[in-house]
Amino acid sequence: MSQEKLAKEIVELVGGEKNVESLVHCATRLRFVLKDDAKADKAKLEKTEGIIAVKENGGQFQVVVGNKVPEVYSAIGQISNILDDSTDKEKPRKAAKGLGGIIDIISSIFAPLLGVMAGAGILKGLLLIASNIGWLETTETTYTILYAAADSLFYFLPLLLAVTTARKFQGNMFVAMTIAGALIYPSIVTLKSEGTPTDFFGIPVILMNYSSTVIPIILAVIVMSKLEKFFNKTLHDSVKNFVTPLFLLVIMVPLTLLVFGPFGVYVGNGIAAGLVAAFGFSPLLAGAVMGASWQLLVIFGIHWGLIPVFINNVAVYGQDGVKPAATASIFAQTGAAFGVMLKTKNKKLKTLAGSSTLTALFGITEPAIYGVTLPLKRPFIAGVIGGAVGGAIIGQAGTLAFASGAPGLLTLPIFYGPGGQGFPGLILGIVVSFVVSAVLTYIMGFKDPVEEETKSESTTSAQQSVRATNASDESVFSPIEGTIVELSEVPDPAFASGAMGKGIAIEPTVGRVVAPFEGTVTVAFKKKHALAVVSDTGAEILVHVGVDTVKLDGQHFVSHIKEGDRVQAGDLLLEFDIAQIKAAGYHTVTPIIVTNSANYEEVIPQATGRVSSQELLLKLSSGNVQEQK
């Protein structure tokens, strides 16, 4: 499939362009923030050619596409306005709260920089090696030019973070960059380096070195974006375009130097010192924990909380002793995928495991994890064990990182410091983690898909009859009382276009949703505005109360279910206050979608005009097509 076609498929299946609040990408994933997750068809996305996995973590809807993510991201920009910062977007959904909200913020800020950060880190590592072994003297102008290319990103990191943070919080990125520039302005740097007593209208200023810092500019731009919205609402249209930036600069630059700067530096240094202390107390144990847990942190998106710490350590201390142990986890999952490739007799899995092994060697582990080790379970466990062993070796060896970059074969130079101290331990650790994981995977084994195919071939004719029954016609009874509305008339293109599936809509007169048949609740959205039920014979029904009601954040809804509940036709699933929802400015027309419409030959409406709860609403016709072996 071409990248343009894949991009179109992805945009359509996440609910359309208007459902996308923002999009960034990292090394392998498209990270969407959607206005309404219920409009995304996760099942179809996972089955789409070119997509490895779909994950929902940290307030983001993540589509894993592997190494081709930059091309797919670019193609999305060409076929839509999603990447256009000037696009007049609808009101965004409420941000995720708690840990998920923090992870969403950090990943959105740092993900766009990971590619260039890795490239600069590799160049910095190669220069370290060249100077340590005498190939290139640090006094040579060639070294100076190359080092400027490698170090400029890190020296001017506040400027780059100002851009990504402003994009995340919808602030003026040019004002944000100007604030960041003031922090590293030559005269400010001179005041710090010369120890000149500094004050702002008599208030003492504690000057810090802000080159390569992370937290101060992020805090400053977050506050700036809030003030900007306030001033833009308060000031007259004729003056706000230049008065708002004036106020922001006059307020934020001194405030950052007085408050956010010192606070951010102290916090960053404190976190870094804590992790360094843990490795100082027991480098073997700390390395084992990091090596075992890193890929688990990646799966849940929690690793983003540590990335700023790694960067801060390199910026402040010139080195980082925490990150090297995470490298063992990368090579451990690589070894587990390699073990699967050696053991499996399934040609498709063998090919997937082989290509995933090669990709993972260069630090991109998502295809190996989501496509191979995690679905098979035991190989992933073997990778965790191998990562712990390798991480313990690396931690005990005292390996250090001297630049930033995703761990992999190409980035090994970033761990080579003066005299190569700790580097042999790193090499030993990653080799051991790879070998241990591969051997354990081979010995522990896994449920090879070949075995399932063999069993499938011996399925009895009685079982085949059951499968034929499962493909029979299905009746869907109305989950809501109200008036029938054509799906094409729903004021939301994701539903009206049929992109979510065929179905019908109801303008409710009673705020109750009941089960449309006997089955299982598969999705109960946290915002309570939508739910999905699958029948015992396989029909998948999505009930989405209202349009854009996800923005109500659960207000005016009362859910009576949780995912996995068994329900009978007519069981109460959800209650909602029609009057309150309308008073809040939202439509209550409710799409009822057959999300697996493709499995049926026809989806035939059975009711018109007014419809009562539990009245026959839809007939799903399979055409009596039996499942093929």
Side-chain angles (χ1 to χ4, degrees):
M1 181 184 296
S2 68
Q3 310 304 357
E4 183 177 340
K5 185 177 180 182
L6 179 58
K8 288 179 180 178
E9 291 269 357
I10 292 172
V11 171
E12 179 180 333
L13 293 176
V14 297
E17 182 176 338
K18 290 188 176 180
N19 194 41
V20 178
E21 175 56 38
S22 65
L23 170 63
V24 295
H25 75 85
C26 57
T28 59
R29 308 181 190 195
L30 295 166
R31 296 174 175 271
F32 289 92
V33 175
L34 302 180
K35 294 174 182 174
D36 189 348
D37 291 344
K39 294 179 183 177
D41 195 329
K42 185 177 178 181
K44 284 186 180 179
L45 277 167
E46 289 176 326
K47 295 176 183 177
T48 301
E49 180 186 348
I51 294 176
I52 298 168
V54 179
K55 301 293 174 183
E56 295 180 71
N57 287 324
Q60 294 181 333
F61 191 88
Q62 303 173 11
V63 181
V64 184
V65 296
N67 293 337
K68 59 191 175 185
V69 67
E71 291 83 3
V72 178
Y73 178 82
S74 177
I76 289 176
Q78 293 173 4
I79 66 166
S80 72
N81 293 318
I82 290 174
L83 306 184
D84 185 359
D85 288 326
S86 65
T87 301
D88 183 18
K89 296 184 177 181
E90 297 174 12
K91 180 181 177 181
R93 72 173 190 178
K94 291 187 178 181
K97 299 177 181 178
L99 180 61
I102 294 171
I103 292 170
D104 173 37
I105 290 171
I106 295 174
S107 61
S108 297
I109 291 171
F110 284 93
L113 303 178
L114 292 185
V116 65
M117 194 173 286
I122 294 170
L123 178 55
K124 207 169 187 180
L126 292 173
L127 288 172
L128 283 171
I129 294 175
S131 62
N132 286 335
I133 63 179
W135 286 357
L136 200 59
E137 294 295 330
T138 57
T139 55
E140 295 182 45
T141 54
T142 299
Y143 179 91
T144 301
I145 292 171
L146 290 175
Y147 191 82
D151 194 53
S152 64
L153 178 143
F154 303 101
Y155 184 88
F156 295 107
L157 187 60
L159 287 165
L160 299 175
L161 292 177
V163 173
T164 56
T165 307
R167 287 190 64 178
K168 172 63 181 174
F169 288 91
Q170 298 181 332
N172 186 315
M173 67 177 65
F174 300 106
V175 175
M177 290 176 68
T178 304
I179 294 170
L183 299 182
I184 54 178
Y185 194 72
S187 60
I188 300 294
V189 174
T190 301
L191 288 176
K192 163 63 178 173
S193 61
E194 294 180 352
T196 305
T198 307
D199 68 84
F200 182 74
F201 289 115
I203 304 173
V205 177
I206 303 174
L207 290 175
M208 316 291 289
N209 180 12
Y210 293 110
S211 296
S212 304
T213 55
V214 172
I215 298 177
I217 190 60
I218 292 176
L219 293 176
V221 175
I222 291 173
V223 174
M224 181 214 81
S225 67
K226 305 296 182 184
L227 284 176
E228 182 183 356
K229 291 178 176 62
F230 169 76
F231 286 132
N232 281 339
K233 287 181 180 178
T234 305
L235 296 172
H236 192 272
D237 289 345
S238 62
V239 299
K240 69 180 182 181
N241 286 342
F242 51 88
V243 174
T244 293
L246 169 65
F247 284 172
L248 293 177
L249 292 175
V250 170
I251 294 172
M252 289 309 305
V253 172
L255 190 60
T256 302
L257 291 172
L258 286 166
V259 181
F260 301 131
F263 174 78
V265 171
Y266 288 141
V267 169
N269 291 351
I271 295 172
L275 289 173
V276 170
F279 272 80
F281 173 74
S282 176
L284 187 143
L285 178 60
V289 171
M290 180 62 74
S293 62
W294 181 251
Q295 289 301 321
L296 290 169
L297 298 179
V298 170
I299 289 172
F300 292 104
I302 303 173
H303 69 299
W304 285 105
L306 291 175
I307 288 176
V309 177
F310 298 159
I311 296 171
N312 188 78
N313 281 348
V314 173
V316 175
Y317 303 111
Q319 59 191 35
D320 171 54
V322 181
K323 181 178 182 175
T327 308
S329 184
I330 302 290
F331 284 89
Q333 290 298 326
T334 307
F338 183 70
V340 172
M341 184 191 75
L342 294 178
K343 191 172 182 67
T344 184
K345 292 180 173 57
N346 183 293
K347 292 181 179 180
K348 184 176 180 180
L349 179 58
K350 187 180 287 290
T351 301
L352 176 61
S355 61
S356 298
T357 298
L358 183 62
T359 302
L361 283 171
F362 295 96
I364 309 301
T365 55
E366 276 87 346
I369 292 174
Y370 295 125
V372 182
T373 64
L374 196 57
L376 296 175
K377 296 178 183 177
R378 289 181 184 175
F380 184 81
I381 295 171
V384 171
I385 296 171
V389 176
I393 294 171
I394 293 171
Q396 189 63 39
T399 306
L400 299 172
F402 297 91
S404 298
L409 281 181
L410 288 178
T411 53
L412 291 182
I414 71 175
F415 302 103
Y416 190 95
Q421 183 179 358
F423 192 71
L426 175 80
I427 300 301
L428 177 61
I430 62 177
V431 170
V432 169
S433 63
F434 182 94
V435 173
V436 167
S437 300
V439 171
L440 281 178
T441 296
Y442 199 90
I443 293 174
M444 293 167 60
F446 47 86
K447 190 174 182 181
D448 199 319
V450 170
E451 298 173 7
E452 295 180 356
E453 291 174 6
T454 302
K455 291 177 183 177
S456 176
E457 291 173 3
S458 61
T459 303
T460 63
S461 58
Q463 289 172 314
Q464 292 175 350
S465 298
V466 170
R467 287 206 302 266
T469 301
N470 287 345
S472 62
D473 293 353
E474 179 81 61
S475 295
V476 178
F477 298 93
S478 180
I480 292 178
E481 182 175 336
T483 304
I484 295 294
V485 176
E486 290 291 333
L487 197 60
S488 59
E489 296 177 11
V490 174
D492 187 306
F495 295 114
S497 65
M500 297 288 296
K502 298 177 182 178
I504 204 164
I506 297 176
E507 182 62 58
T509 54
V510 178
R512 288 165 51 90
V513 177
V514 300
F517 40 52
E518 182 179 352
T520 304
V521 177
T522 54
V523 180
F525 288 94
K526 293 180 181 179
K527 309 291 186 180
K528 305 175 186 177
H529 66 298
L531 56 89
V533 185
V534 60
S535 73
D536 292 339
T537 51
E540 300 170 2
I541 300 295
L542 170 69
V543 181
H544 191 289
V545 179
V547 176
D548 289 337
T549 46
V550 64
K551 298 175 184 176
L552 290 170
D553 202 24
Q555 294 182 66
H556 317 312
F557 292 92
V558 178
S559 176
H560 297 281
I561 54 168
K562 62 181 182 300
E563 292 180 5
D565 281 355
R566 287 283 304 166
V567 294
Q568 300 293 322
D571 284 354
L572 179 62
L573 308 181
L574 179 70
E575 291 181 287
F576 55 97
D577 191 321
I578 298 174
Q580 291 290 344
I581 293 172
K582 288 184 176 180
Y586 296 94
H587 292 283
T588 55
V589 62
T590 299
I592 298 159
I593 306 296
V594 184
T595 53
N596 62 338
S597 301
N599 292 358
Y600 296 93
E601 190 173 275
E602 290 183 283
V603 175
I604 310 168
Q606 299 293 304
T608 56
R610 286 191 57 80
V611 63
S612 301
S613 176
Q614 286 299 283
E615 183 179 337
L616 184 61
L617 183 68
L618 298 171
K619 198 77 173 179
L620 313 184
S621 173
S622 67
N624 296 320
V625 178
Q626 294 190 8
E627 180 183 336
Q628 297 299 314
K629 287 174 54 179

